Amino acid sequence: MAAKPPAGMPSIARQASCALCGPDAGRVLVRAPRWRIVLADDADHPAFTRVIWNAHVAEMSDLDETDRRTLFDLVVRVESVQREILSPDKVNLASLGNQVPHLHWHVVPRWRDDRHFPNAVWGTARDDAQGQAAARSAAVLARRDEYVDALRRCFDEAARSAADTR
C-alpha cells in the first residue's frame, strides 16, 4: 500500500488523463498487481524498457519502504538482464516524471555508437552517428526476442508471488 503524501501535499488518486494510469504505454512484458514491465516503442533504442508502478504516485518517497525496495529491485533486475543478454556499454536508469508525474523508471541499454550517446536518449541525435546507429539498432533488434524471453523468465515467478502476497 502506498504511503500517504507528506503533510500539505494533495493525495494523488489514479487519474484517467495520466498516460501511465490508463494505457500500457508500450508492449507489456510482465504484469503484476502493483507493477508492470513494458518495452517502450523507440526505434533508436529498441530495448528501452520501463518499470511502471501501477498506482498513481509521483515520487519514490510516496511508497512505503517495502514497495520502494520492490520497485528498485525490479529496476536492478531489468538492468541485469539487459547486461547479460545485450552487453551494452552502459545502462541508463532514470526516474524523472517531469512530463508524466507517475512513478516509473526508464532502463535503457546504451552503446557508444547509438544515435544519442553520450547524451540522454531524449536529447538531440548526433549527426555523425546515423549509419552506426542504424546498425546498432538492427543488432539489438536481432536479440530483442531473446531479451524479452529472459525478462519474462526472470519476472514471471516474481509476478505470480506478488499476486499471491497482496
Side-chain angles (χ1 to χ4, degrees), residues 1-5 12 34 53 55-57 59 61-65 67 166:
M1 172 167 256
K4 292 184 179 182
I12 301 173
R34 294 178 297 146
W53 196 253
H56 187 85
V57 296
E59 307 296 345
S61 58
D62 290 336
L63 301 178
D64 64 32
E65 185 176 341
D67 286 347
R166 287 282 177 151

Side-chain angles (χ1 to χ4, degrees), residues 7 10 13-14 19 25 37 41 44 54 66-67 71 73 80 83 87 89 95 98-99 101 107 114 137 141 143 163:
R14 195 166 174 86
I37 298 173
D41 183 20
D44 288 333
N54 289 333
T66 300
D67 286 347
L71 180 55
D73 180 60
S80 295
R83 292 182 70 198
S87 303
D89 295 319
S95 178
N98 298 334
Q99 295 196 12
V107 186
D114 77 39
S137 291
L141 276 171
R143 300 208 66 197

Side-chain angles (χ1 to χ4, degrees), residues 114-117 119 123-133:
D114 77 39
R115 228 174 139 210
H116 297 91
F117 198 87
N119 300 320
T124 303
R126 295 179 6 220
D127 290 334
D128 66 335
Q130 285 192 338
Q132 293 173 324

Side-chain angles (χ1 to χ4, degrees), residues 2-141:
K4 292 184 179 182
M9 296 293 291
S11 176
I12 301 173
R14 195 166 174 86
Q15 296 180 5
S17 63
C18 174
L20 297 180
C21 277
D24 287 324
R27 177 177 157 201
V28 176
L29 305 178
V30 184
R31 183 187 308 273
R34 294 178 297 146
W35 50 267
R36 64 191 184 273
I37 298 173
V38 174
L39 193 61
D41 183 20
D42 190 312
D44 288 333
H45 306 281
F48 187 137
T49 305
R50 288 187 190 99
V51 179
I52 303 169
W53 196 253
N54 289 333
H56 187 85
V57 296
E59 307 296 345
M60 289 290 286
S61 58
D62 290 336
L63 301 178
D64 64 32
E65 185 176 341
T66 300
D67 286 347
R68 275 193 307 271
R69 286 183 187 177
T70 296
L71 180 55
F72 202 69
D73 180 60
L74 295 168
V75 170
V76 171
R77 289 170 70 186
V78 170
E79 175 190 303
S80 295
V81 172
Q82 287 180 348
R83 292 182 70 198
E84 177 185 335
I85 302 299
L86 303 172
S87 303
D89 295 319
K90 180 72 177 98
V91 177
N92 290 172
L93 304 177
S95 178
L96 305 171
N98 298 334
Q99 295 196 12
V100 181
H102 181 123
L103 186 56
H104 64 288
W105 282 83
H106 303 273
V107 186
V108 188
R110 303 294 306 277
W111 289 268
R112 287 179 182 85
D113 58 358
D114 77 39
R115 228 174 139 210
H116 297 91
F117 198 87
N119 300 320
V121 296
W122 302 281
T124 303
R126 295 179 6 220
D127 290 334
D128 66 335
Q130 285 192 338
Q132 293 173 324
R136 170 58 61 197
S137 291
V140 174
L141 276 171

